[in-house]
Amino acid sequence: AEQPFCEVESVKAVSDIYAPVSGEVIAVNDDLVADPSIANEDPYDKGWLVILQPEDWDSVKGSLVVGSDVAGAYEAKMDAEGFAGCA
């Protein structure tokens, strides 16, 4: 948990992606490796990175947050900073 498992590169930066839980990587999205543009085109379906098998799911599942639960906070920050989003 909280260790980088891959890097994502953009035009201006390279960022580590951190595992939300401890466990084993049981699948890697080879389609994404072959065509990174999938991450931008379809991030919530075909753009997945890896599938993790958590070591102790029962103890960590309560600490995870789904995206829809944090979207409001990010949208409020974007509004406050005048960021209209990406086209």
Side-chain angles (χ1 to χ4, degrees):
E2 301 178 16
Q3 296 297 314
F5 66 88
C6 74
E7 293 178 338
V8 176
E9 184 177 335
S10 70
V11 175
K12 295 183 179 183
V14 175
S15 300
D16 289 330
I17 303 297
Y18 292 84
V21 298
S22 293
E24 178 182 358
V25 174
I26 59 172
V28 173
N29 187 348
D30 292 326
D31 292 338
L32 182 64
V33 173
D35 182 7
S37 68
I38 294 170
N40 291 327
E41 295 165 3
D42 195 4
Y44 297 108
D45 187 23
K46 295 179 183 174
W48 59 274
L49 301 172
V50 299
I51 297 175
L52 295 171
Q53 178 65 54
E55 287 177 1
D56 186 5
W57 177 244
D58 289 333
S59 70
V60 297
K61 66 182 175 184
S63 67
L64 300 175
V65 180
V66 296
S68 60
D69 290 347
V70 297
Y74 282 108
E75 290 171 0
K77 179 172 176 51
M78 289 169 55
D79 288 343
E81 295 183 6
F83 180 69
C86 300

